[in-house]
């Protein structure tokens, strides 16, 4: 196993991650049985072109095994740039091997390179937050969702 990591900000990245994103949605989204997966690649491409989305991609040879996608935006209260994780996925066969931790560290570096002052992570209920806490992340708010 030879896992390679890269920070990418291209339309090709979006197309390549699409199938993993679909699997990710089915696995973790509580709404997946009520709301169909519908990632709009045209809209996402516009965000990539505007420099507002980047992703850390993990590959075993040519096979994409994970992504850590972030969106850049201004902090509502301060207008300072921040990065918000909008999707993390690691192929189940590669979990527990440090892929998530490596992608997180590279996502942090990429956020700093883009002048973000912080990186915000979101975890689904029941997901392991241990590695994020070990790396200095802390709970700042709790999100609630209601399907309408």
């Amino acid at each position: 196993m030879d896992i390679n990591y890269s920070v990418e900000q291209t339309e090709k990245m979006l197309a390549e991650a699409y199938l993993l994103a679909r699997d990710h949605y089915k696995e973790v989204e509580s709404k997946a049985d009520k709301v169909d997966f519908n990632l709009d690649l045209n809209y996402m491409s516009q965000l990539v072109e505007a420099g507002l989305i980047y992703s850390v991609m993990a590959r075993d040879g040519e096979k994409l095994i994970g992504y850590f996608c972030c969106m850049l935006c201004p902090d509502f209260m301060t207008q300072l740039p921040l990065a918000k994780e909008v999707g993390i996925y690691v192929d189940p066969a590669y979990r527990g091997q440090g892929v998530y931790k490596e992608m997180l560290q590279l996502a942090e570096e990429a956020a700093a390179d883009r002048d973000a002052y912080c990186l915000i992570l979101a975890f689904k209920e029941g997901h392991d937050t241990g590695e994020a806490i070990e790396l200095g992340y802390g709970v700042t708010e709790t999100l609630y969702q209601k399907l309408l």
Side-chain angles (χ1 to χ4, degrees):
M1 180 171 39
D2 182 27
I3 299 176
N4 297 301
Y5 301 88
S6 60
V7 177
E8 301 178 21
Q9 203 164 4
T10 65
E11 288 185 41
K12 180 180 181 254
M13 157 201 90
L14 296 172
E16 190 176 10
Y18 184 88
L19 293 177
L20 280 185
R22 186 187 62 202
D23 291 344
H24 174 204
Y25 185 81
K26 289 177 187 175
E27 180 182 339
V28 302
E29 285 293 340
S30 60
K31 65 187 174 209
D33 60 339
K34 295 178 180 72
V35 180
D36 292 334
F37 175 78
N38 185 24
L39 183 63
D40 185 340
L41 290 177
N42 290 325
Y43 177 68
M44 297 295 285
S45 292
Q46 291 172 14
L47 295 174
V48 166
E49 288 175 26
L52 298 176
I53 287 187
Y54 68 90
S55 188
V56 176
M57 307 290 268
R59 293 181 179 83
D60 184 359
E62 296 294 315
K63 179 184 178 186
L64 181 65
I65 61 158
Y67 62 81
F68 191 118
C69 188
C70 295
M71 178 176 270
L72 301 162
C73 63
D75 182 299
F76 184 72
M77 296 294 192
T78 68
Q79 299 308 302
L80 292 172
L82 61 82
K84 165 74 172 78
E85 167 268 314
V86 293
I88 305 168
Y89 187 76
V90 177
D91 182 303
Y94 293 84
R95 293 179 187 167
Q97 300 176 40
V99 175
Y100 163 77
K101 188 173 183 178
E102 184 69 24
M103 289 193 306
L104 172 57
Q105 290 172 321
L106 289 170
E108 287 178 2
E109 292 173 18
D113 289 346
R114 290 158 175 80
D115 297 323
Y117 84 99
C118 75
L119 174 58
I120 298 171
L121 304 178
F123 290 92
K124 298 293 183 194
E125 188 71 26
H127 280 198
D128 182 9
T129 60
E131 286 183 330
I133 292 168
E134 288 174 13
L135 292 171
Y137 288 82
V139 176
T140 59
E141 57 189 75
T142 303
L143 300 175
Y144 292 85
Q145 174 177 283
K146 178 182 178 182
L147 296 181
L148 304 176

